[in-house]
Amino acid sequence: MPEDATLEALRETARRFAESEVAPRAAELDETEAFPVDIYRALARLGLLGITVPEAMGGAEAGVLAYAVVMEELSRGYASIADQVGLVELLATLLSEHGTERQRDEFLAPLLRYDRSCAYALTEAEAGSDLAALKTTALRDGDGWRLSGTKMWIHMAPRADFAAVLARTDPAAGHRGMSIFLVDLHAPGVERLRAEHKMGQRASPVGGLRFEDVRLPAEALLGPEGRGFHMMMSVLDKGRIGIAALALGILQRALEESIAYAKQRVQFGRPIAEQQAIRFLIADMAKDAHATRLMVRDAALRMDAGRKATLEASMAKCFASDAAVARTADAVQIHGGTGYIRGVTVERLYRDAKITQIYEGTNQIQRVIMARELLG
């Protein structure tokens, strides 16, 4: 874990970038659903991609707490940007921990420069929370593989250059029969399905991928055969801490917007900040933001110390995302009719918050995990 001074310097770098380069473009990106490659390449130059990846592999080697700090600050600017940084972090972690030298040269190095973009292809029409229902297969073909199946609601599917695809390599082996493959999404047999139009985080493209007998070389296999499910699960604690920090960034921005609006909006001859009903809403927003920040820090510090953090990561993700949805709704309420208008920041924050209760494991699944960890 970095020293406090280093961590604060990293926070300041991310905050300055979010305020100068991200927040001013958030409304436009939300409206147009444009994908700002220039922002991600600038983040790469600042060393804000691959925060936990070893320096020797091109990352910052700064730890999970540092990753959470960067996610929070970028999300204050616009959650879609933090969302993409989180995706890069998960793929970079898989590649740094399980990739061969050749795979790291071909995929990890250009990803951290953002010369190539990635997707994380798990979900299918009948396999979301229930990955045991996975149907995509990769069958041996000489010294390589043949990949067939369809993935749905995949972040970056409409434009990614490559994907880490979870597929069955032994249909009879359950979770132990799944493997991960690094797939060039420009290869013959790969079809990009419809790009979806989302409620929020609209500059993070989502869509489907269809693989029709796609020929993969032997070196496309990431890590050991049959360990794909376990490898994917191994990065989810870090991913959930990242989403908790992203939700915190949304909540923090909603709090700041609400305080500023309450001080300048006058009703009945005085600012609405003097009304007890408004003061209580803002107090609850600040309380939840502080509690979330402490939960994120606790979970991140556990991971940085090499301790198991499954319970704490699920708690942080669940609490943070529930709080973000509830308190951005309060922010809209504080803004009154103004808050319901497209283009007003809190209206976008409300829409951006909702998905945090769904991705990286729904909050219902988080409660299942928490109960399992507590009760066995």
Side-chain angles (χ1 to χ4, degrees):
M1 189 190 83
E3 298 297 326
D4 285 347
T6 304
L7 189 66
E8 286 309 306
L10 189 64
R11 181 188 292 278
E12 185 58 30
T13 297
R15 176 169 291 192
R16 281 200 308 268
F17 185 85
E19 291 179 347
S20 64
E21 305 297 330
V22 177
R25 295 172 60 182
E28 176 194 358
L29 293 172
D30 175 69
E31 184 64 28
T32 63
E33 301 181 67
F35 188 77
V37 174
D38 60 309
I39 286 180
Y40 301 118
R41 288 183 176 157
L43 286 168
R45 290 192 295 271
L46 287 171
L48 297 179
L49 297 183
I51 295 294
T52 67
V53 173
E55 279 190 78
M57 297 182 191
E61 200 170 345
V64 180
L65 180 57
Y67 167 55
V69 162
V70 170
M71 288 290 281
E72 177 190 347
E73 294 300 336
L74 292 178
S75 186
R76 281 181 67 250
Y78 183 28
S80 277
I81 303 302
D83 192 28
Q84 182 69 13
V85 170
L87 174 64
V88 170
E89 187 70 35
L90 293 193
L91 264 292
T93 298
L94 284 173
L95 285 161
S96 66
E97 292 182 355
H98 303 287
T100 63
E101 185 174 352
R102 177 175 176 178
Q103 288 170 333
R104 292 196 295 266
D105 288 343
E106 183 177 356
F107 297 103
L108 178 59
L111 177 62
L112 295 181
R113 295 191 303 268
Y114 217 77
D115 291 337
R116 300 186 77 181
S117 56
C118 62
Y120 191 63
L122 280 72
T123 306
E124 300 178 5
E126 297 179 6
S129 298
D130 179 18
L131 279 179
L134 194 82
K135 290 187 170 62
T136 296
T137 60
L139 303 178
R140 286 197 175 275
D141 180 33
D143 62 350
W145 304 83
R146 292 279 179 179
L147 178 69
S148 297
T150 301
K151 299 292 185 178
M152 303 293 293
W153 306 301
I154 303 302
H155 183 189
M156 285 293 290
R159 61 172 300 126
D161 296 305
F162 72 94
V165 179
L166 187 65
R168 287 194 178 279
T169 45
D170 183 352
H175 289 143
R176 298 179 186 277
M178 299 181 191
S179 304
I180 299 174
F181 294 88
L182 299 170
V183 181
D184 180 356
L185 296 183
H186 305 290
V190 177
E191 179 185 0
R192 299 177 199 260
L193 305 181
R194 182 184 69 185
E196 305 291 351
H197 298 285
K198 300 189 297 174
M199 172 181 171
Q201 297 191 26
R202 285 162 50 84
S204 301
V206 164
L209 295 167
R210 181 175 291 128
F211 306 104
E212 294 187 356
D213 206 27
V214 178
R215 180 75 167 86
L216 301 176
E219 57 267 24
L221 178 66
L222 179 65
E225 181 182 349
R227 294 294 296 172
F229 177 83
H230 302 85
M231 289 161 56
M232 289 285 196
M233 293 301 105
S234 73
V235 299
L236 285 185
D237 285 350
K238 183 192 294 183
R240 286 164 182 160
I241 292 169
I243 296 304
L246 181 152
L248 171 58
I250 294 173
L251 173 52
Q252 181 65 37
R253 181 65 185 277
L255 172 61
E256 293 164 3
E257 293 287 326
S258 296
I259 290 172
Y261 184 81
K263 287 181 176 180
Q264 63 90 18
R265 172 66 169 164
V266 174
Q267 289 287 278
F268 305 105
R270 56 180 179 163
I272 63 172
E274 297 181 17
Q275 300 287 345
Q276 187 179 68
I278 301 299
R279 296 171 77 88
F280 281 8
L281 289 175
I282 288 174
D284 281 340
M285 293 171 74
K287 165 180 64 67
D288 283 0
H290 186 60
T292 297
R293 193 168 286 110
L294 292 175
M295 293 179 78
V296 168
R297 182 179 180 86
D298 177 60
L301 286 173
R302 282 176 176 270
M303 286 203 74
D304 282 335
R307 299 166 64 191
K308 183 180 179 182
T310 299
L311 174 62
E312 292 77 13
S314 285
M315 284 179 168
K317 190 270 184 189
C318 188
F319 184 89
S321 53
D322 282 348
V325 171
R327 300 314 175 194
T328 53
D330 288 346
V332 171
Q333 193 72 19
I334 289 167
H335 282 68
T338 300
Y340 199 66
I341 303 300
R342 284 295 287 266
V344 174
T345 298
V346 294
E347 182 270 342
R348 173 178 54 79
L349 294 172
Y350 186 33
R351 289 185 287 107
D352 287 346
K354 180 59 192 175
I355 190 61
T356 65
Q357 292 179 310
I358 298 171
Y359 59 15
E360 290 293 332
T362 68
N363 281 5
Q364 287 68 39
I365 289 295
Q366 300 311 315
R367 288 173 170 88
V368 170
I369 293 169
M370 286 184 264
R372 183 187 67 210
E373 291 294 311
L374 291 165
L375 300 170

